[in-house]
Amino acid sequence: MSGLWNQPDVPHKGWTCFEVEDLQAAEGSCDMCLRESIRYVHHMQHPGYADTVAAGCMCAEKMEDDYSLGSRPSAAKQREAILRNATSRRGRWLSLQSWRTSKKGNPWIKKDGLIVTVFAADARFKFSIKLNAGNKSYFSSRSYLTADAAKLASFDALTLLQSEHLLPNRRASE
């Protein structure tokens, strides 16, 4: 092994992952083993090490001391599967047949008890997310050049709000 694995001051176990990043292509590298061409970067932290470490899946498994057992995938593999699924759902979000147009001409979709509406705002576009069963709504603070850009941002917001348990934890599409 090479990279940080060979450094005596770098712990080998007891790490936790605080974020996983999808680079959209295998263009990253693992700090622990120096393996290049990783797509999913597991950002790891350790209480006894000051810096964070960007690791690939196999190194993240070793660092967390969490390996796949039988049919149970490791936490690192589960994180990557969640990202792969979200990327796939995001790719289909714009073309879902359930997008409708309101009487005001705004695109909207009802999904899993939520209503997402995209609307024009000062020659740009914003979105809102409303819980169908209540009167709680979220509005985008940013505006977007196109309605499709606002739709994609709404998907990202749904995913984030659901991961933070601020919305029902259902899939954002399909």
Side-chain angles (χ1 to χ4, degrees):
M1 288 189 174
S2 59
L4 293 177
W5 288 118
N6 289 335
Q7 302 296 319
D9 62 330
V10 178
H12 289 193
K13 304 287 183 206
W15 292 82
T16 56
C17 181
F18 65 90
E19 180 184 15
V20 183
E21 181 180 9
D22 181 357
L23 300 177
Q24 303 298 316
E27 56 189 25
S29 63
C30 176
D31 293 341
M32 287 302 282
C33 67
L34 298 180
R35 178 173 182 236
E36 295 184 18
S37 71
I38 61 172
R39 174 176 174 168
Y40 300 99
V41 181
H42 301 252
H43 296 280
M44 310 293 288
Q45 61 189 6
H46 190 281
Y49 191 70
D51 295 327
T52 61
V53 173
C57 185
M58 294 183 71
C59 286
E61 285 179 330
K62 292 175 186 171
M63 295 164 76
E64 292 175 304
D65 199 20
D66 178 27
Y67 302 92
S68 298
L69 296 172
S71 63
R72 185 194 69 80
S74 68
K77 287 183 180 169
Q78 289 176 26
R79 289 189 297 265
E80 285 191 13
I82 289 167
L83 271 181
R84 268 193 304 280
N85 291 340
T87 299
S88 179
R89 288 192 319 273
R90 189 179 194 272
R92 293 187 300 269
W93 182 244
L94 294 178
S95 61
L96 290 177
Q97 301 266 332
S98 46
W99 279 102
R100 302 286 184 247
T101 303
S102 72
K103 291 179 183 177
K104 293 182 179 180
N106 297 325
W108 67 277
I109 190 169
K110 184 176 180 180
K111 211 64 171 152
D112 298 326
L114 304 169
I115 299 171
V116 176
T117 305
V118 173
F119 54 92
D122 299 325
R124 293 176 63 100
F125 295 88
K126 290 188 169 197
F127 65 87
S128 67
I129 301 169
K130 181 179 181 181
L131 282 138
N132 194 25
N135 43 354
K136 190 172 193 174
S137 294
Y138 298 89
F139 290 88
S140 61
S141 56
R142 293 185 53 199
S143 60
Y144 302 88
L145 289 175
T146 66
D148 282 351
K151 285 180 182 180
L152 289 172
S154 74
F155 178 88
D156 296 339
L158 283 170
T159 303
L160 178 66
L161 291 168
Q162 288 170 336
S163 72
E164 293 177 354
H165 307 292
L166 298 173
L167 290 177
N169 194 10
R170 298 180 189 140
R171 290 185 355 192
S173 70
E174 304 182 331

